[in-house]
Amino acid sequence: MFSFDRRDFGPDFTFGVATAAYQIEGGQGHGRGPSIWDTFSATPGNVHNGDTGLHACNHYELWPADLDLIRDGGFDAYRFSFAWPRLIPQGTGAINIEGVDFYDRLIDGMLERGIKPYATLYHWDLPSTLQDRGGWMNRDIAHWFADYATLIAQKFGDRLAATATINEPWCVAFLSHFLGVHAPGYRDLRATARAMHHVLFAHGQAIDALRAEGTKNLGIVLNLEKSEPMTQSADDIAACNFGDAAFNRWYLDGLFKGRYPKEMTEWLAPYLPENYQADMEVVSRPLDWLGINYYTRGLYRASNVPGMPVEQVKGPLELTDIGWEIYPQGLSDLLVRVSNDYTKIPLYVTENGMAEVEGEDDPRRVKYYDDHLKAVLAAREAGADVRGYFAWSLLDNYEWAEGYNKRFGLVHVDYETQQRTPKASYRSFQGLLHNTR
Ligand code: IFM
């Protein structure tokens, strides 16, 4: 059980759980087009065990039971994502009515159960046909994405409590085009620079499109880390500043200051899109809220590898099953930093959680949540306007390049039988939230 009371967060604080379409839906017939994760995962060596999202948690059929779990856990809100290729199979043009019907049922199912829908338009499953046209490297993606946003607004906008454009633009751009870990799996600096700008430009265009259709309460979800130097040497501090610029400030400065950090524009100068500065007004459109996904810190030292400005190192703290250091203080620090240095709009922790070995008794995860929720309380006491917290994730699910090997769920999933079994961490939230909605 947790060591605090729901009332400590005040009457209006939103508690929710989060998932993403490709990680749980399965249901890959039904008119859905292929996405970059279908091909990336089908390519040997990219994903642990060659796992794909073909069946995942079969949320496509089992969504009523999953929404019951959210309601019975006492959660106020469900953060889910739309699959672009399910709604517009070729990325642009014809709409898949079966896909529209699926999300109609899902959203109505939330509303019937008293659960607020928090939607994300893009959580990484780009239609493959758009990748064929250059994907995030092509400036035209801003228009493709804005058209998709218009469709979402027209079909579902009036039923959504909150809408985010993009989940974790660092992953969309850097992890997928520079580090090559996620689809489309590139390792190319020019591709990276273009994706880094286009993902934020597309976000801004989508905000305009959603607003034009009257959709309310718009935001974006950033994954931020607490960047720290390995030692206090001048070289490590400089490395940390560079890491912070690449991971955090590119997105925060772009969105809230309308400019990119100097370290990055100097590094990427030959590769950035021409006259990108003219787009910064669109990139920095006013938002109604900001989502922050937090898992761990980044520890940096100067790099000896030619062309690699910094090196990230493993620290000494306790690790989760995916190898990430457990560092709740970093969450408080980040929330306070964003509030002091960037924006006074409401902040939400839109993802936080840990991978743990298989099992339904998960005391380390209960402690992880307890410590991070206390970190949220500390940030609120320090003045950060944090309005909600979403646990990642409702279910064990497809953990991208880690396949089904890493489990983040409050609810255990047996992938053979699709049996769901709540873990101790789910029961802890239930104890905190029950009968208080
Ligand atoms: O599973 C992912 C999610 O899709 C995005 N944020 C981080 C989670 C854990 O790696």
Side-chain angles (χ1 to χ4, degrees), residues 20 23 123-124 167-168 171 223 293 295 322 324 351 392 397-400 408:
Q23 293 178 272
H123 198 128
W124 308 352
N167 181 73
E168 301 186 353
C171 295
N223 53 320
N293 293 354
Y295 290 91
I322 208 168
W324 298 346
E351 284 182 28
W392 183 271
N397 60 48
Y398 182 73
E399 179 51 27
W400 307 111
F408 278 86

Side-chain angles (χ1 to χ4, degrees), residues 132-149:
D132 297 342
R133 296 156 78 182
W136 293 102
M137 297 175 290
N138 185 342
R139 181 184 172 79
D140 290 346
I141 197 155
H143 308 296
W144 307 332
F145 190 57
D147 288 349
Y148 165 56

Side-chain angles (χ1 to χ4, degrees), residues 14-25:
T14 297
F15 280 93
V17 282
T19 66
Y22 192 80
Q23 293 178 272
I24 63 165
E25 280 181 8

